[in-house]
Amino acid sequence: MPDAYERHLVPVFFRPFAADLAARAAARSPHQVLELAAGTGALTTAVLDATPDARVVATDLSEAMVSRGATLEPRAHWRQADAQELPFQDASFDLALCQFGVMFFPDRPAAYAEIRRVLTPNGRLLFNSWGPVASHGFAAAFQDALEASMPEGENAPTFLPDIPHGYVDPAAVAEDLAAAGLDLVAAEEVTLEGVAESAASVATGLLTGTPVRAALASHPDAAAIEETVTGAMTAALGPGPVTAAMTATIYTARPLPGGPAGR
């Protein structure tokens, strides 16, 4: 999964938003930066390029992602870590970052509370979250193709709408942050363009570089479904290089005085 993720998804989905988030991070002139759910390091690299004097600790729950990321971006300090139980001392970082990772936390208030614990009193949490599937041209085309490709009477895997595109209400985000002792300072909707070498490349990335792979692994018609999805995405988006709009919300939060104590 890390190789497919890095090859097919990172350049299209994550680098455009990494540049945006890194510019916002650099405006704060941070010294000690914690990145959560760093994946293979798209944001890590962008942040280090934008703030070369900062010390960046990049973490991910997946040891495979950490190993791949450490190879791709050796300037960062890489650690395997669970966002809900961070292995760092209180008030260790003046900036925490997370690119498209908060949607995957099983207990978001618990993870936010840990982030608050390791932030300095004047620190900030800066993160983004995808909008609904319909607001992401590639994801919408993929999910439509996947649903149309399933055998009659079978439901398509719902990973994309349920998880990456399932945390879309700023009011719900603000509530989760408040429960952890964090105040939502800003929520800004941003739409950027993703450019892929082909629709087939994006289909390959989503079929093999995400949990959709596991959902289809045991299906007797998996190969036929994947071929049909790839063909349908190409028909929908066109052959050759393809461009699509992608919408996300960028959130900024700060610690509230007297919030929840550490673990």
Side-chain angles (χ1 to χ4, degrees):
M1 281 180 60
D3 289 340
Y5 173 91
E6 174 65 26
R7 166 72 177 80
H8 299 286
L9 300 182
V10 165
V12 185
F13 290 7
F14 302 116
R15 283 193 187 138
F17 283 95
D20 175 87
L21 213 57
R24 296 167 189 265
R28 296 199 58 81
S29 301
H31 300 289
Q32 299 289 335
V33 179
L34 171 65
E35 185 183 356
L36 302 151
T40 55
L43 176 59
T44 319
T45 293
V47 170
L48 283 163
D49 287 345
T51 59
D53 294 331
R55 179 178 184 270
V56 177
V57 178
T59 68
D60 198 280
L61 182 63
S62 166
E63 188 65 58
M65 289 290 191
V66 168
S67 296
R68 183 78 167 121
T71 299
L72 294 169
E73 185 44 86
R75 292 177 295 173
H77 302 266
W78 287 85
R79 290 280 300 271
Q80 189 278 333
D82 184 343
Q84 295 173 199
E85 193 170 355
L86 293 171
F88 306 111
Q89 294 182 352
D90 296 0
S92 297
F93 302 94
D94 53 357
L95 181 64
L97 301 170
C98 187
Q99 169 149 279
F100 300 123
V102 297
M103 306 88 77
F104 295 89
F105 298 159
D107 186 338
R108 294 185 192 104
Y112 292 149
E114 274 291 90
I115 294 168
R116 183 196 181 281
R117 179 182 66 79
V118 302
L119 278 177
T120 60
N122 293 320
R124 291 292 185 272
L125 166 61
L126 183 60
F127 64 99
N128 51 20
S129 180
W130 292 119
V133 166
S135 70
H136 191 296
F138 293 114
F142 176 81
Q143 192 64 28
D144 287 346
L146 186 60
E147 291 173 2
S149 302
M150 297 300 292
E152 186 175 353
E154 292 190 30
N155 294 322
T158 58
F159 165 72
L160 284 185
D162 287 352
I163 308 298
H165 298 272
Y167 194 47
V168 300
D169 182 4
V173 174
E175 184 176 343
D176 287 344
L177 289 167
L182 290 163
D183 177 42
L184 178 60
V185 176
E188 179 185 351
E189 189 175 280
V190 173
T191 299
L192 301 176
E193 283 194 341
V195 180
E197 62 185 60
S198 67
S201 174
V202 176
T204 298
L206 291 171
L207 286 166
T208 63
T210 74
V212 173
R213 176 183 184 179
L216 292 176
S218 61
H219 197 289
D221 298 323
I225 291 170
E226 292 174 7
E227 183 177 354
T228 303
V229 167
T230 301
M233 278 198 72
T234 301
L237 298 176
V242 291
T243 301
M246 310 175 296
T247 298
T249 301
I250 318 298
Y251 296 95
T252 305
R254 63 186 175 190
L256 284 167
R263 297 181 270 163

